[in-house]
Each structure stands twice: as C-alpha cells, then as structure tokens.
Amino acid sequence: MGFCKFSMYNFLYLVIVVLFGVFGEQNSQLMNDKVALLSFMSEIVSDPGNVLENWNSSDVHVCNWARVSCNNASDSVTELILNVAWLSGTISPSLANLSSLTVLDLSMNFFEGPIPKELGFLTQLKQLSLSWNFLEGKIPYHLGFLHKMEFLDLGSNKLQGEIPESLFCNGSLSLQYIDLSNNSLSGEIPFKSECGLKDLGSLLLWSNRLVGHIPRALSNSTQLIWLDLESNMLTGELPSEIIREMPKLQVLFLSYNDFVSHGGNNNLEPFFASLGNCSDLLELKLAGNNLGGKIPPIIGDLSNNLVQLHLDENLIYGLIPPHISNLVNLTLINLSSNILNGSILPNLCQMEKLERVYLSNNSLSGEIPPALGNIPHLGLLDLSRNKLSGSIPNSFANLPQLRRLMLYQNQLLGTIPPSLGQCVNLEILDLSHNKLSGVIPSEVAGLRSLKLYLNLSSNHLYGPLPLELSKMDMVLAIDLSNNNLSGTIPTQLKSCIALESLNLSRNFLEGPLPFSIGQLPYLQALDVYSNQLIRDISQSLQMSSTLKHVNFSFNKISGKVSSEGAFSLLTIDSFLGNDGLCGSIEGMPKCSNRHSHLTLILSVLLSLFSILILCIFGYYLVQRSRIQSQLEIFDGGDLDLKHPR
Ligand SMILES: *[C@@H]1O[C@H](CO)[C@@H](O)[C@H](O)[C@H]1NC(C)=O
Ligand SMILES: *[C@@H]1O[C@H](CO)[C@@H](O)[C@H](O)[C@H]1NC(C)=O
Ligand SMILES: *[C@@H]1O[C@H](CO)[C@@H](O)[C@H](O)[C@H]1NC(C)=O
Ligand SMILES: *[C@@H]1O[C@H](CO)[C@@H](O)[C@H](O)[C@H]1NC(C)=O
Ligand SMILES: *[C@@H]1O[C@H](CO)[C@@H](O)[C@H](O)[C@H]1NC(C)=O
Ligand SMILES: *[C@@H]1O[C@H](CO)[C@@H](O)[C@H](O)[C@H]1NC(C)=O
Ligand SMILES: *[C@@H]1O[C@H](CO)[C@@H](O)[C@H](O)[C@H]1NC(C)=O
Ligand SMILES: *[C@@H]1O[C@H](CO)[C@@H](O)[C@H](O)[C@H]1NC(C)=O
Ligand SMILES: *[C@@H]1O[C@H](CO)[C@@H](O)[C@H](O)[C@H]1NC(C)=O
Ligand SMILES: *[C@@H]1O[C@H](CO)[C@@H](O)[C@H](O)[C@H]1NC(C)=O
Ligand SMILES: *[C@@H]1O[C@H](CO)[C@@H](O)[C@H](O)[C@H]1NC(C)=O
Ligand SMILES: *[C@@H]1O[C@H](CO)[C@@H](O)[C@H](O)[C@H]1NC(C)=O
C-alpha cells in the first residue's frame, strides 16, 4: 500500500516536473537528469531516514538536492552519493540517463534485484560502488563498457555466475580498485594478457567460488598493492612468477584455497624468493592450503615491515629456521596446525614487537625457552598440542600484558609456577593435559583477571582447592577435572558469580556439595563425577533456573531426589554409582518402601502411645471391678442407680 502511494505520488510529481521543466528550466541536460533522478526515486520503496526529503520539493534546485552534486560549468549531475542511507527498493535503469555521472555510490543500503545493465551507458563513470546491498544475478557484461572506470566495488552482495570477461578487459584499462568479494561468483578469474590492467592497485575477490589458476596476465598489474583471493577454490602452484612483478605489494592474502608449493608441493623457497623485492609487504596469509615443504631460511629476507605472517593449516614440516627472527616488525605469527618439529628457538624473542604467537598443533619438542618471557608486548602464546617437555618457565611473570596462555596437551612437568600470579591481565590459562604436579598455587588461584577460563584438567595436581579461587569473579569456566585433588569443596566458590561451568570430576574431593553452589546465578554445567562426596543433593541445585548439565555419578551421595525443577531433564546417568539415592528420576529406585528415620520414630512413638492407652484402660478396668466387688460387698442394692448402663 505504502509503495503504491509513494509511486503514485512520484508519478504525478514527475509529470508536473516534466511540464514545469519544459517551460521553467532552460537546460535540457539538467532536465533529463532531474527526470532520471525522480524515476530512480520512484523505485525506492522505503526511505526511513528521509534522506531524499528535499528531492520532491519544487523550490529546491536539482543541484541542491541531498547527496547530488553537479558540474556548474556544464550544468549536469555528476555525483550521486547515497551510501549508508537505509534505502530499500531496486536500482532503476533510469540512472543510465545521468549521462555526465562520474560517481555513483549506493553502497550500504538495502537495494535488491539485479544490477541494471543500462549502467553500462554511463560512459563518464569513474566510481561505481554498490557494495553491502542485496543485489542478485550476474554482473552485467555491459559494465565492461565503462572505459573511464577507476573504482569498482560490488562486494558483499549476492551476485552469482561468472565474472564477465569484458569487465577486466574490454572495459576500463584505468581500473585501480576492484572489489567483487563476498559474493557467490564462480568460474575463473577472467584476466587476459592482451588487456593488462596496468594501474590496478587492489584486487579483492575473497569469499567467492572461483576456480582455476591465478591468471598469468595478472603479472601485468605491476602496481598491485593489495591482492586478496582468500576463501575460493583456486588451484595451481603458488604464483611466484606473478608476484615477482609486483614490488609494491603490501597485503597478499591467498589463504583457504588449494594452492601447492613448487616441486610437486615440496618446496616453498621459490615463492618466498619471489617476495624478496616486496619491500613494503605488511601482511602475508597462506593458511589452509595444504602447502608442503620446509620454511626456507630466506623467510628472513622478507620485508622488515612485515607485521603478520599466517602459514597455519598447511603441511609444512621440519624446523622453524632461526632466520625468522629477522622479521623484527612482526606482531602476529601463526604456524599452527603444521608438522613442524625441533625446538622453539630462544631467539624468537628478538622479534620484540610480537603480540600473538600461535605454534599449536605441531610436533615441537624440548623445553619452553625462558627467553619468551622477554617479549615485552606478548599478549597471546599458544603452544598447545605439541610435545614440549620440561617445566613452565618462571619468566612469564615478566609479561604484564599476557592475556591468553595456552600450553595444554604437551608433556610439561614440575609444578605450576606461583609467579604466574603476576600476569595480572591473564584471561585464559589452559595448562590441561600435561604432567604437572604439586598443589594449585594460591597466587594462581587468586588471578582475579581470569575472564574466560581456568583449565588445569588432566594433570597430577594434588592438595585442596585453594580458597583464593573465590576471587575469580569474572571467570566463565573452571575445569580442575582428572587430578588428585582432595579436601572439601569450599562454599566460598559462590563468589565466582559469573561461573557457567564447573568441572571437578575425577578427583578425591569429600564432604557435602555446598548449598551455595546451586545459588550461582549463571551455572549451567556442574560435574562432580567420581569423587567421594557425601550427604544429599542440595535443594539449591534443584531450584536453579540455569542448570542444564549435571553429573553426580560415582560419589557417596544419599537421600531422596525428585525429578522437579532443574532436574526434570536429567536421567539416571547423572546419578549412577551412588547407592544411597532414591527418588522419582526415571531408573532410580523409588523411596516408598524404605522408612526414613522420622517415620520410624513416629511409628515407635505411636506404638508406645497405644501401649500407654491400653495400660490406662486396663488399669481402669481392674480398678472398676475392684470397686464393684467392694460395693457388692458393702452396698449391693444401690449399684445399678449409681452406675447406669
Ligand atoms: C516527498 O514529499 C512528501 C510530502 O512533502 C513526503 O511525504 C514524502 O516522504 C517525500 N518523499 C521523499 C522521498 O522524501
Ligand atoms: C557550484 O555552485 C554552487 C552554488 O550554485 C556552489 O555551492 C558549489 O560550490 C559550486 N561547485 C563547484 C564545483 O564549483
Ligand atoms: C532516458 O530518457 C529518455 C527520455 O529522455 C527515455 O526515453 C529513456 O527511457 C530513458 N532511459 C532510461 C534507461 O530510463
Ligand atoms: C559478507 O556479506 C554478508 C552479507 O551478504 C555479511 O553479512 C557478512 O558480514 C560479509 N562478510 C564479511 C567478512 O564482511
Ligand atoms: C570487446 O569489444 C569488442 C568491440 O570493441 C567486441 O568485438 C568484443 O566482443 C568485446 N569483447 C568482450 C569480451 O566483451
Ligand atoms: C601483459 O604481459 C604479457 C607478458 O606477460 C605481455 O605479452 C603482454 O603484452 C602484456 N599486456 C599488456 C596489455 O601490457
Ligand atoms: C628484485 O629487483 C632487482 C632489481 O630491480 C632484480 O635484479 C631482481 O631480479 C629482483 N628480484 C626478484 C626476486 O624479482
Ligand atoms: C618497522 O616498521 C616501522 C613502520 O611500521 C618502520 O618505520 C621501521 O623502520 C620498521 N623497522 C624495521 C627494522 O624495518
Ligand atoms: C591461527 O591458526 C589456527 C589454526 O589454523 C586458527 O584456528 C587460528 O584462528 C589462527 N589465529 C589467527 C589469529 O590467525
Ligand atoms: C591439527 O592439525 C591437523 C593437520 O596437521 C588437522 O587435521 C587438525 O584438524 C588439527 N587439529 C586441531 C585441533 O586444530
Ligand atoms: C623432524 O622431522 C624430520 C622428518 O620430517 C626428521 O627427519 C627430523 O629428524 C626431525 N627432527 C627432529 C629434531 O625431530
Ligand atoms: C579443559 O581441557 C580439557 C582437555 O584439554 C578439555 O577437554 C576441556 O574441554 C577443557 N575445558 C574447558 C572449560 O576449556
């Protein structure tokens, strides 16, 4: 309805404007432009921000309409910049009549439907931005007629089909920026060597379904600065011949494709060598390609400016070469999920700007070098899933900015250094699945900063749960399972008010489960499987509105359990191996044929009471018969009057 009214209004207005225009305005080009703009407006179904409010006011000159710019000399509309305007509707082909248009920017709106092929008539267009809409269908090959186009951004739409060959060839050879990323485009990248895009600075085709090799003709684009082909299905050898021609490259993203290295996926050296002249290179991403080979020593010859290096999820093997520490500007290095072996070199600490180091899921062995504690800005260290041995160095205490420390699934020995308690910004501490022994240091248990989780599971830790754990009032999960911890569960854990998951299973904890645990306001999972807890299950747990997963199995818990409240979804599996439990959970023995102490006492009292009554009654009978016999002896004639029956 709203749409109809709107269109009708605009139609009438159009007629008026046309009539008025014929007599009122001299310039016919501007008149044409005005009609084209109004016709464009008529296909907009909603303008919640009233961005186009002054477009239908006859007092306002078209060149003063919002988001419209004119060339004063030639009296024509040259720019239409309607980005982030909350507009929805379709893009009218009438825009093609804005014959002097140089900039058309409709990005970040809710436009749907196809890209009108008529836009190919906008021969003066230099910038076409339609990104972040819901545009569908194919990219019209007519856009290839835009010979002056420099900037083309169609990213983050729902475009499909192949990229028309004309776009990168017949059309503009002056293109500097091409962004077709985050669509569903298929087929090959249609670069032809007879039409090199010499001025191209950015080519962004990430997140599409492109196949085939990177076209050789791309090497004609020697000015390229930013090349992002991530997340496609591209194949072939890493493009060393092409990259060699691009000395200005700053950002090269080839992750998540199916590239191989040279020599039958065995040799990374030619590719790293081709980057040798890219002295401005800032970020290099090759992750998720199954690339084989060793990290070549010439990696140390990459640009000094390199800040990010992502080689994760490949088949890279052998040692991490010491030369890598030449990359002194590196802030992030990700070598996770490869087959690297050997030890972690202490000279990594020469890369003083490192903030995030990911080496997880390799076969690294040897000790963790204490020198890692000398990397001043280190915020994340992930050495998990390796074969590291030795103890955790004390030097991590020197890292005030450390926020995430992941050392799980290694073979680390010794105790947890109390000095870790000095890492006052730590949010995640995961030391699980190692061979750590000793007690949990109170300094570490008292790390108030832990926001996400503390995981010390599957080690050889013993001793009591430190009361300091109660200082972790932001932590979401605590996992201390599968250790040798003993003593009772402190009621003070109730102070960990953000806690969603508490796992204390497979320890030797004793005593009752504190009432206060059930009062934790966000607790969803509680696992105390295989401990020596006694008494009954706290009513507070049953009343919890958040609790979903509970495991009480294999303890010495007794008493009655009902399937109400938080327990209504639980099965007998949560209660196995506790001989003293009965109740209404399916599969659990019923409590009816057992006597509680109270009923026993009550029935004893009742029997005693009945005996007492009997005795009194008996005594009375005996007394009466004695009086009767006395009366019969002394006053037999009056007896029936005094005791009528
Ligand atoms: C045009 O003007 C009418 C009334 O002045 C208004 O209701 C309508 O929303 C306007 N259209 C646009 C696109 O601003
Ligand atoms: C065009 O003219 C308008 C006033 O009519 C003025 O505000 C604007 O700055 C001029 N633009 C150019 C590019 O000269
Ligand atoms: C351009 O304008 C002419 C009249 O000026 C009209 O006939 C034609 O349909 C318009 N083109 C488009 C694509 O709207
Ligand atoms: C890709 O586009 C979709 C909309 O089609 C958007 O929701 C998403 O955030 C975009 N992804 C990125 C990484 O920009
Ligand atoms: C390129 O344009 C020429 C004419 O200029 C035409 O013959 C040819 O078919 C076009 N090629 C593509 C791929 O559009
Ligand atoms: C592109 O490069 C190839 C060699 O790689 C060359 O033969 C061709 O002429 C170049 N094309 C243009 C348009 O420069
Ligand atoms: C780097 O540039 C120099 C001089 O321009 C050239 O001799 C050398 O071959 C280039 N190296 C690579 C790997 O392209
Ligand atoms: C590190 O990068 C900065 C700019 O980001 C640059 O000024 C500096 O020279 C680089 N350091 C080295 C050793 O190249
Ligand atoms: C590092 O690599 C791992 C494994 O591929 C991945 O899960 C993680 O997201 C990566 N981190 C960064 C910051 O790239
Ligand atoms: C570890 O790396 C292998 C490949 O080396 C990969 O298949 C596996 O998914 C990775 N595991 C994790 C947990 O990232
Ligand atoms: C690393 O693995 C290779 C096989 O990929 C093996 O030859 C070499 O001995 C290993 N080195 C170490 C230090 O384990
Ligand atoms: C703790 O680590 C164990 C084993 O590494 C893992 O299974 C568990 O999910 C982790 N718990 C949390 C809360 O991260």
Side-chain angles (χ1 to χ4, degrees):
M1 258 344 240
F3 169 57
C4 288
K5 260 196 240 164
F6 190 82
S7 297
M8 191 47 120
Y9 177 83
N10 282 297
F11 176 74
L12 290 175
Y13 186 70
L14 214 115
V15 172
I16 292 164
V17 163
V18 169
L19 291 175
F20 177 77
V22 168
F23 307 106
E25 289 202 30
Q26 301 304 311
N27 184 286
S28 69
Q29 153 104 55
L30 203 53
M31 197 52 230
N32 263 344
D33 288 355
K34 196 168 179 175
V35 172
L37 285 173
L38 285 169
S39 160
F40 164 75
M41 180 166 72
S42 73
E43 292 197 21
I44 289 172
V45 294
S46 144
D47 174 18
N50 289 327
V51 175
L52 306 182
E53 203 168 14
N54 73 0
W55 282 32
N56 58 18
S57 150
S58 49
D59 313 334
V60 183
H61 189 270
V62 62
C63 290
N64 290 330
W65 285 4
R67 312 287 198 110
V68 173
S69 302
C70 290
N71 176 340
N72 294 354
S74 69
D75 267 332
S76 55
V77 172
T78 54
E79 294 184 4
L80 179 57
I81 303 183
L82 281 165
N83 60 331
V84 207
W86 304 281
L87 301 174
S88 38
T90 54
I91 300 178
S92 166
S94 66
L95 286 180
N97 270 351
L98 297 170
S99 54
S100 299
L101 205 63
T102 58
V103 177
L104 176 58
D105 186 350
L106 305 179
S107 57
M108 296 202 181
N109 285 292
F110 303 95
F111 286 108
E112 42 189 31
I115 298 176
K117 60 181 190 302
E118 289 81 359
L119 295 187
F121 301 136
L122 292 169
T123 52
Q124 302 303 310
L125 206 61
K126 288 185 174 163
Q127 176 184 341
L128 177 59
S129 305
L130 304 176
S131 61
W132 290 96
N133 280 290
F134 299 94
L135 301 171
E136 303 163 335
K138 293 184 165 190
I139 299 176
Y141 70 86
H142 312 72
L143 295 188
F145 302 144
L146 302 173
H147 293 274
K148 293 192 175 162
M149 187 139 70
E150 293 167 3
F151 186 101
L152 172 65
D153 186 358
L154 308 179
S156 294
N157 279 291
K158 298 178 179 172
L159 302 169
Q160 296 173 354
E162 302 196 356
I163 302 172
E165 234 174 60
S166 59
L167 197 61
F168 298 152
C169 189
N170 252 24
S172 174
L173 302 184
S174 49
L175 267 169
Q176 293 166 18
Y177 182 98
I178 299 173
D179 184 353
L180 308 179
S181 63
N182 201 13
N183 280 290
S184 301
L185 300 168
S186 52
E188 301 195 6
I189 303 173
F191 267 63
K192 294 280 171 286
S193 67
E194 62 273 16
C195 29
L197 295 172
K198 287 207 176 56
D199 297 328
L200 194 61
S202 302
L203 179 61
L204 286 75
L205 303 177
W206 53 269
S207 276
N208 278 293
R209 299 178 193 155
L210 301 171
V211 297
H213 294 195
I214 298 181
R216 188 62 203 272
L218 188 59
S219 59
N220 288 6
S221 302
T222 55
Q223 304 301 305
L224 214 58
I225 290 173
W226 188 0
L227 178 58
D228 188 347
L229 306 179
E230 221 168 274
S231 301
N232 279 290
M233 295 178 282
L234 300 168
T235 51
E237 272 181 4
L238 286 173
S240 58
E241 299 301 313
I242 296 167
I243 297 301
R244 195 189 304 283
E245 309 296 329
M246 301 177 175
K248 296 191 174 169
L249 217 50
Q250 292 181 9
V251 172
L252 178 57
F253 292 169
L254 302 177
S255 296
Y256 306 108
N257 280 289
D258 292 313
F259 293 121
V260 292
S261 65
H262 289 68
N265 204 18
N266 216 356
N267 187 2
L268 284 165
E269 185 159 332
F271 179 70
F272 280 99
S274 73
L275 288 165
N277 276 353
C278 300
S279 55
D280 296 328
L281 194 64
L282 293 172
E283 297 189 23
L284 177 60
K285 296 192 183 179
L286 303 175
N289 275 302
N290 294 325
L291 298 171
K294 295 182 180 178
I295 302 178
I298 53 162
I299 195 167
D301 298 342
L302 289 181
S303 151
N304 262 336
N305 291 308
L306 197 68
V307 288
Q308 292 206 9
L309 177 63
H310 300 250
L311 302 178
D312 47 294
E313 281 183 63
N314 282 300
L315 301 171
I316 301 173
Y317 54 83
L319 311 177
I320 303 174
H323 314 73
I324 206 166
S325 59
N326 289 353
L327 303 172
V328 291
N329 258 339
L330 218 52
T331 62
L332 186 156
I333 182 167
N334 198 342
L335 306 179
S336 292
S337 293
N338 279 291
I339 326 170
L340 297 166
N341 65 3
S343 54
I344 300 173
L345 300 169
N347 71 351
L348 276 189
C349 73
Q350 287 168 22
M351 297 187 269
E352 286 192 336
K353 296 195 178 161
L354 276 177
E355 291 165 11
R356 287 179 283 172
V357 175
Y358 300 85
L359 300 177
S360 91
N361 198 16
N362 279 289
S363 294
L364 300 168
S365 54
E367 301 200 356
I368 301 174
L372 292 187
N374 301 336
I375 304 175
H377 305 291
L378 195 62
L380 182 149
L381 181 61
D382 187 355
L383 307 179
S384 62
R385 299 178 200 269
N386 277 292
K387 298 176 179 164
L388 299 169
S389 52
S391 54
I392 300 173
N394 260 315
S395 59
F396 288 143
N398 304 339
L399 299 172
Q401 304 197 29
L402 194 62
R403 288 149 79 97
R404 300 184 176 198
L405 181 60
M406 274 90 77
L407 306 178
Y408 61 92
Q409 287 191 31
N410 278 290
Q411 294 155 22
L412 299 171
L413 292 165
T415 55
I416 301 175
S419 58
L420 276 183
Q422 292 172 39
C423 302
V424 292
N425 284 307
L426 213 53
E427 295 170 355
I428 295 180
L429 178 60
D430 194 340
L431 309 178
S432 61
H433 264 282
N434 277 292
K435 298 176 178 171
L436 300 168
S437 57
V439 300
I440 302 174
S442 54
E443 292 85 345
V444 174
L447 273 167
R448 278 210 55 201
S449 57
L450 283 192
K451 276 198 192 77
L452 299 172
Y453 58 90
L454 170 69
N455 197 344
L456 305 178
S457 143
S458 300
N459 279 292
H460 306 312
L461 302 170
Y462 51 79
L465 299 185
L467 290 184
E468 285 79 1
L469 279 177
S470 61
K471 292 190 188 159
M472 293 189 183
D473 54 4
M474 297 187 284
V475 75
L476 300 181
I478 294 179
D479 190 346
L480 307 177
S481 61
N482 202 16
N483 279 291
N484 301 328
L485 300 168
S486 55
T488 57
I489 301 175
T491 57
Q492 287 89 332
L493 279 183
K494 68 166 188 264
S495 310
C496 304
I497 50 165
L499 205 58
E500 292 173 357
S501 164
L502 177 61
N503 191 345
L504 302 174
S505 64
R506 297 173 202 266
N507 279 294
F508 298 101
L509 299 168
E510 47 196 28
L513 192 65
F515 186 81
S516 59
I517 300 289
Q519 293 173 314
L520 285 167
Y522 302 104
L523 193 68
Q524 291 177 18
L526 172 67
D527 192 349
V528 292
Y529 171 89
S530 188
N531 278 287
Q532 323 216 336
L533 301 180
I534 54 164
R535 301 259 184 84
D536 50 351
I537 290 167
S538 168
Q539 286 295 309
S540 60
L541 285 169
Q542 194 138 24
M543 278 157 15
S544 161
S545 59
T546 51
L547 206 59
K548 292 194 185 81
H549 309 283
V550 188
N551 196 344
F552 299 113
S553 292
F554 298 97
N555 278 288
K556 298 174 181 169
I557 298 170
S558 56
K560 193 179 172 187
V561 182
S562 81
S563 60
E564 282 157 23
F567 292 179
S568 59
L569 296 176
L570 298 185
T571 66
I572 185 71
D573 292 340
S574 299
F575 300 93
L576 297 171
N578 287 292
D579 291 340
L581 282 178
C582 68
S584 50
I585 305 275
E586 202 176 311
M588 191 178 271
K590 296 273 180 294
C591 298
S592 53
N593 49 9
R594 290 161 178 246
H595 285 289
S596 76
H597 293 303
L598 192 66
T599 35
L600 196 69
I601 290 170
L602 271 178
S603 48
V604 169
L605 281 178
L606 198 69
S607 342
L608 284 176
F609 185 70
S610 341
I611 292 171
L612 193 71
I613 296 280
L614 276 178
C615 290
I616 292 172
F617 189 62
Y619 176 75
Y620 168 76
L621 281 183
V622 172
Q623 286 297 316
R624 201 187 69 160
S625 57
R626 269 166 61 187
I627 291 170
Q628 212 162 29
S629 48
Q630 277 169 10
L631 283 177
E632 272 166 15
I633 295 167
F634 299 109
D635 195 2
D638 285 338
L639 184 75
D640 282 342
L641 295 171
K642 282 176 184 171
H643 300 275
R645 293 242 159 179

